Amino acid sequence: MMGVEFLEIIDLDDARRITGELFSELYSQGTESVDILDADGRVLADDIESPVDLPPFDRASRDGYAVRAADTFGADEENPATLRCIETVEAGSVPSLEVAEGLCTRISTGAPVPEGADAVVMVEYTWEEVDRVYIQRPAYPSQHIAARGSDIRAGNVLLRTGTVLSPDKIAALSAAGITRVNVISKPSVCVISTGNELIEPSGQLEPGKIFDSNSAGLSSALKEAGCSVKHGGIVRDDYGELRDAILRGLEEADMVITSGGTSAGAGDILSEVLDELGRVVIHGISIKPGKPTIVGVVDDKIVVGLPGFPVSALIVFMSLIEPFIRKLSGRKASSGHVKTLKLAERLHSSRGRVHYALVMVDGDYARPIFKDSGAVAALAGADGYIEVPKNVEIINEGEEVEVVLFENR
């Protein structure tokens, strides 16, 4: 069977506009409540106010003695102030006696400061004999005391909407006694790889076969963008099998992303399947690599057909699809991980098409990787890519370029 022809090839800007309109039309952010023990990496859907003052009481920030600062004025090593110790307060316990004139309390870091005391003298500047404590340095009011609410007051915002919950943020929530939070729901995406030549990486490599790399690569990129991933497995270039796999994916997930089966060659039948099940909105984008990319809609859900070559699949995903998925999942755009570098070698581009060129970062230079989009070594050695505008044919050595980094995106 001869393959279908491309629809009208469109510019990348038009493809981004159309794709963005589809996401806005078909999807909206959802929210859910989760236990903070399961909240790592999730995005807050609401501002979080502290239900308590932090710290919840005046507490010592050093080991030493809680004193009245006035009782220590003028103290030095030659003429130490002499106070009587009336009790010991450890972290987790509560003082029972008030510190009056001439008295002090032995206190541990984190323990509540007793009534009457307004300073803590570090143990290093004291010595003790029986119940007498000798203070060698004067204290000032509030010294080494974290006042109640000095960190945050009850009712004040602790974390803002859109915050990604990392370990430090989760610790802060726990410190305020918060155990559940509202977060933005993760979009679910089913990933399918197509091609008679593909086998699972765990399988035995045979003549004419290659390992499927797109499932793992795209799944990783989707998780980083805030999605949950469903695995649709490998599907042969068979109309019925692909149709059934897409329908299963649409039942399980909010979106389906396939790789392979998008060009206008024999055996590439994704466009025909989408025509039957729904509609093809984009088939062909003026970019290199990635021209045969397909975007369709089935049952009010987006189905994306990425090229089969790993370089093409990942770059088209990151440049065309990922920004809208990040917005849906509440994640910030990855554009912050862009580095301005000088081009290490002259680069030729195809005029009339946006060209994505893989590069290695070498100090202050971006070194182009001159391999085709099917070369696995190109991905292994790449640190990022540059987007060459469609009206640029040559970028000369030494010119500054914007490199979108793969790592820490």
Side-chain angles (χ1 to χ4, degrees):
M1 179 181 68
M2 292 300 295
V4 297
E5 296 297 325
F6 289 122
L7 297 181
E8 180 183 354
I9 306 298
I10 62 175
D11 286 341
L12 178 59
D13 288 342
D14 290 332
R16 284 172 171 158
R17 174 183 56 78
I18 293 169
T19 304
E21 290 171 354
L22 286 177
F23 269 87
S24 296
E25 174 190 344
L26 300 175
Y27 301 107
S28 59
Q29 280 186 349
T31 63
E32 59 181 323
S33 175
V34 299
D35 191 291
I36 63 166
L37 295 178
D38 301 316
D40 185 54
R42 303 301 296 271
V43 180
L44 281 181
D46 305 301
D47 288 350
I48 301 292
E49 296 179 355
S50 177
V52 296
D53 289 333
L54 291 177
F57 48 81
D58 292 351
R59 69 182 182 189
S61 59
R62 298 288 190 279
D63 291 338
Y65 295 89
V67 302
R68 288 160 39 99
D71 288 344
T72 69
F73 290 168
D76 57 26
E77 293 182 8
E78 297 294 327
N79 297 290
T82 304
L83 304 175
R84 183 166 65 88
C85 185
I86 55 175
E87 70 173 331
T88 297
V89 181
E90 302 286 349
S93 63
V94 178
S96 59
L97 300 175
E98 180 178 348
V99 174
E101 184 178 356
L103 304 178
C104 68
T105 292
R106 188 183 299 106
I107 196 166
S108 298
T109 300
V113 176
E115 290 290 328
D118 63 358
V120 171
V121 177
M122 292 173 61
V123 68
E124 289 89 337
Y125 306 124
T126 68
W127 83 86
E128 186 173 357
E129 293 179 356
V130 192
D131 64 345
R132 297 293 170 177
V133 178
Y134 298 89
I135 309 295
Q136 297 175 297
R137 287 192 181 184
Y140 55 84
S142 76
Q143 175 178 285
H144 302 318
I145 293 177
R148 175 176 179 168
S150 59
D151 189 358
I152 190 169
R153 288 287 186 183
N156 287 355
V157 175
L158 179 60
L159 293 175
R160 296 283 182 186
T161 302
T163 300
V164 178
L165 294 177
S166 51
D168 54 319
K169 304 299 188 295
I170 290 173
L173 292 171
S174 295
I178 296 168
T179 59
R180 294 193 71 83
V181 289
N182 284 332
V183 297
I184 296 173
S185 300
K186 290 184 175 184
S188 58
V189 181
C190 179
V191 175
I192 299 171
S193 289
T194 69
N196 295 335
E197 74 281 13
L198 299 179
I199 62 172
E200 296 287 352
S202 58
Q204 182 66 40
L205 195 61
E206 300 173 357
K209 302 295 184 180
I210 60 172
F211 292 128
D212 170 29
S213 61
N214 285 339
S215 288
L218 290 171
S219 294
S220 178
L222 285 162
K223 290 175 182 177
E224 191 177 79
C227 296
S228 63
V229 177
K230 310 287 185 181
H231 295 285
I234 296 172
V235 178
R236 293 187 307 151
D237 291 323
D238 177 87
Y239 187 95
E241 289 187 20
L242 181 58
R243 179 183 183 278
D244 292 346
I246 289 175
L247 289 175
R248 285 195 301 271
L250 292 171
E251 288 180 359
E252 298 176 352
D254 301 316
M255 188 182 317
V256 172
I257 293 181
T258 73
S259 61
T262 57
S263 68
D268 294 324
I269 37 77
L270 175 61
S271 180
E272 295 179 21
V273 171
L274 294 182
D275 270 333
E276 179 200 338
L277 299 179
R279 59 192 171 101
V280 176
V281 181
I282 298 171
H283 188 188
I285 304 174
S286 184
I287 55 176
K288 179 184 178 181
K291 177 183 174 183
T293 298
I294 293 178
V295 178
V297 176
V298 177
D299 295 335
D300 292 330
K301 295 181 179 180
I302 291 175
V303 178
V304 179
L306 299 174
F309 282 153
V311 174
S312 304
L314 281 174
I315 286 183
V316 173
F317 170 78
M318 288 187 286
S319 62
L320 178 64
I321 305 300
E322 183 187 35
F324 304 111
I325 285 181
R326 280 184 171 270
K327 183 178 179 181
L328 185 60
S329 68
R331 295 274 178 162
K332 293 180 181 179
S334 61
S335 58
H337 300 285
V338 174
K339 209 169 187 177
T340 301
L341 301 170
K342 294 179 180 179
L343 196 66
E345 300 177 51
R346 192 179 196 190
L347 179 65
H348 292 266
S349 181
S350 302
R351 188 176 181 86
R353 284 201 285 171
V354 174
H355 179 201
Y356 291 102
L358 293 177
V359 296
M360 293 185 291
V361 174
D362 184 7
D364 294 329
Y365 287 86
R367 192 171 299 282
I369 298 175
F370 298 109
K371 293 180 181 290
D372 65 42
S373 57
V376 174
L379 277 178
D383 295 308
Y385 64 88
I386 60 176
E387 182 179 308
V388 184
K390 64 181 181 180
N391 59 343
V392 173
E393 289 186 73
I394 296 174
I395 302 179
N396 288 310
E397 179 183 340
E399 286 190 45
E400 288 190 340
V401 292
E402 299 291 314
V403 178
V404 180
L405 300 173
F406 290 143
E407 192 174 356
N408 298 323
R409 296 173 61 253

